[in-house]
Amino acid sequence: MSPHLISIYALGAMFVVATIWPINMGVLAFVGAFLVGTLLAAQSTKDIIAGFPGGLFLTLVGITWLFALAQNNGTIDWLVRMSVRAVKGRIAAIPWIMFGISALLTAVGAVSPGAVAIVAPIALGFAFRYQISPLLMGLMVVHGAQAGGFSPISIYGGITNGVVQKAGLPLSPMTTFAASFTVNAAVALLLFMVLGGRKLMQMRMQTVETIKVPHIEIARAATGPQIFGDSEAEALSRRISEEGGGSSNRLVAEVEEGNHRDGNLYQVVTLAALVLLAVLVLAFKLDIGFVALSIGLGLALCAPTMQKRAMAQVAWPEIMLITGVSTYVAVLEHMGTIDFVGDSVAGMASPMLAALMLFFIGAVVSAFASSTAVLGSLIPLAVPFLQGGTGVGAIGFIAGMAVASTIVDVSPFSTNGALVLANAQGVDKQAFFRKLLNYGALVTVLAPVVLWIIFVVLPG
């Protein structure tokens, strides 16, 4: 068996293992990069580490830390509540508000699971309170997050555009963004009409008998000195001391997070900081990772005690997964596996069928694993295929592949679908799981075909 096939089978095994067992695929990818790189590609560990995506790592850490700060000081909750008040009692507008907020968060740089983790608990709380279909509300949040996921400054957009630009292919970031937003918005509209939206348009908050919902905790930071890097101070904190049966002599008082007056000065400053982030990155083309860390540091210095656990809320599992897969792909590129697979696909009798096959691979794998991992691995595999003069337009193919690999994140096996399932209130979880599973299966089967027709067949 050739080294190329072994490395490809190893990548497939990673997806299978990460799907069956709760093992972070990033760990599998790092180990795979080490084994494949040293045993098959004759690389040194220094060469393998050189493939680590340092810029992407900085972007992910900076963005997720900044949004953790905004979440902890109540800014995100405040924005959601302002949005709901702005609809003036129109129940039907609430699902669209959640769709819009999710899209906005991912469009300005939040990772898709992070945006869903922030918005889904609030959205499903509203669904329970105002008797809206929880399936509708959950799917609106996920499709909203995917709609904004390919903006030029987003995580998905950065990965996709970076791969395409590096390959020297025609690049149109706004085409991919527009494709993702339009398709997800169209699906959201269809879901809204099918899952009770027409009934909601006839309702007002004053005419609905609401159900009292307890406080919803969006995220809980990990605890322990190993998390925060301040072992002596943490060991003396009130919480840790009480667990050990002692008393605290810590000088800094603990602050309860997530319980703040709406529109306070700190929230206004945080909102202005998020706007500043978008301006500096979009208008001045500054690095989003460094800008997010710089703005986050300024916010943290304003209230260091309040934000002391934000670093524990950084999406470390997602970061491990993304950087691990990217490092493994760098090893594949070094050994020529990317070109090998691309040439094999390009050599198929029908380039159109080859494109459809790649769409299906992206959708099926993403439904059971991470969309980010799929984007980081399958798009590079398709680059030689697009460079081979097959007649398939690169811009349309990349847009279709991007949407096909992310729209299936409604599956209960994906991170976003699992978050919706976990936060559903007042429902039979098994029945809700089956609904998500059926919908996810339907999207996984239909989306690649529809997107292939729209972005590959019709333009050709």
Side-chain angles (χ1 to χ4, degrees):
M1 185 180 298
S2 70
H4 297 311
L5 292 178
I6 294 175
S7 62
I8 294 171
Y9 291 151
L11 179 61
M14 293 176 199
F15 282 111
V16 172
V17 171
T19 301
I20 296 176
W21 293 292
I23 298 176
N24 188 291
M25 185 175 169
V27 176
L28 297 170
F30 276 122
V31 174
F34 171 66
L35 295 177
V36 172
T38 55
L39 299 178
L40 299 180
Q43 285 185 290
S44 66
T45 53
K46 183 178 180 180
D47 295 331
I48 297 172
I49 293 173
F52 180 84
L56 182 58
F57 171 81
L58 193 66
T59 296
L60 293 172
V61 172
I63 285 295
T64 54
W65 183 53
L66 178 60
F67 274 86
L69 295 173
Q71 175 184 334
N72 290 348
N73 64 29
T75 302
I76 300 298
D77 286 349
W78 176 45
L79 288 175
V80 172
R81 284 190 283 268
M82 283 196 303
S83 300
V84 172
R85 294 191 195 104
V87 304
K88 298 180 179 179
R90 297 178 178 86
I91 298 291
I94 294 179
W96 291 106
I97 291 293
M98 300 304 159
F99 177 93
I101 293 174
S102 299
L104 178 63
L105 290 178
T106 54
V108 299
V111 292
S112 178
V116 174
I118 291 171
V119 180
I122 301 173
L124 290 164
F126 277 118
F128 183 46
R129 180 179 298 173
Y130 296 112
Q131 302 171 34
I132 304 172
S133 166
L135 182 63
L136 169 64
M137 193 68 93
L139 295 179
M140 292 291 279
V141 172
V142 175
H143 282 297
Q146 304 305 72
F150 284 93
S151 80
I153 64 171
S154 68
I155 301 300
Y156 287 166
I159 294 172
T160 304
N161 298 333
V163 170
V164 175
Q165 186 175 30
K166 183 178 179 181
L169 295 171
L171 178 63
S172 180
M174 292 307 298
T175 298
T176 306
F177 179 35
S180 178
F181 193 94
T182 302
V183 170
N184 280 280
V187 172
L189 179 59
L190 180 62
L191 289 170
F192 180 79
M193 301 307 295
V194 171
L195 296 177
R198 286 172 292 184
K199 180 180 178 181
L200 294 178
M201 288 188 289
Q202 303 172 0
M203 300 169 62
R204 292 291 186 272
M205 289 185 184
Q206 293 82 356
T207 63
V208 179
E209 183 181 355
T210 62
I211 304 172
K212 183 175 178 58
V213 180
H215 170 70
I216 304 168
E217 188 173 52
I218 297 177
R220 180 185 293 275
T223 59
Q226 72 279 8
I227 297 295
F228 312 114
D230 186 10
S231 57
E232 292 183 2
E234 188 67 25
L236 296 175
S237 68
R238 182 184 307 114
R239 184 178 306 160
I240 301 301
S241 297
E242 289 176 352
E243 290 175 359
S247 60
S248 173
N249 63 349
R250 187 172 184 180
L251 297 177
V252 181
E254 296 208 18
V255 177
E256 182 181 355
E257 296 172 354
N259 186 18
H260 311 281
R261 177 176 57 85
D262 281 351
N264 61 53
L265 178 61
Y266 196 21
Q267 291 172 350
V268 172
V269 172
T270 302
L271 180 59
L274 296 178
V275 174
L276 179 62
L277 171 72
V279 171
L280 292 177
V281 173
L282 289 174
F284 296 95
K285 309 300 181 183
L286 298 181
D287 182 84
I288 188 172
F290 279 118
V291 172
L293 286 172
S294 301
I295 292 175
L297 177 60
L299 293 175
L301 289 174
C302 292
T305 305
M306 180 186 299
Q307 306 301 334
K308 64 186 183 300
R309 287 184 172 83
M311 187 56 70
Q313 293 169 268
V314 171
W316 295 115
E318 291 289 330
I319 294 173
M320 174 69 79
L321 185 151
I322 295 167
T323 55
V325 171
S326 297
T327 303
Y328 187 80
V329 169
V331 172
L332 297 185
E333 289 177 337
H334 174 81
M335 47 186 304
T337 301
I338 303 297
D339 292 336
F340 169 78
V341 173
D343 293 340
S344 299
V345 174
M348 294 181 65
S350 172
M352 290 294 184
L353 289 180
L356 178 60
M357 184 186 72
L358 289 172
F359 276 34
F360 264 112
I361 292 173
V364 172
V365 174
S366 182
F368 291 92
S370 167
S371 297
T372 310
V374 173
L375 291 173
S377 57
L378 288 185
I379 289 182
L381 293 179
V383 167
F385 162 73
L386 297 173
Q387 292 174 329
T390 58
V392 177
I395 292 178
F397 177 89
I398 294 298
M401 168 67 83
V403 179
S405 300
T406 54
I407 197 171
V408 296
D409 276 4
V410 292
S411 162
F413 298 110
S414 70
T415 304
N416 289 344
L419 286 168
V420 170
L421 178 64
N423 288 287
Q425 301 180 35
V427 299
D428 182 340
K429 288 296 183 76
Q430 289 186 346
F432 194 70
F433 170 81
R434 287 193 294 270
K435 291 179 181 179
L436 278 178
L437 181 62
N438 292 335
Y439 177 71
L442 181 65
V443 172
T444 303
V445 171
L446 294 181
V449 177
V450 174
L451 293 169
W452 173 69
I453 293 173
I454 294 174
F455 292 102
V456 177
V457 176
L458 293 181

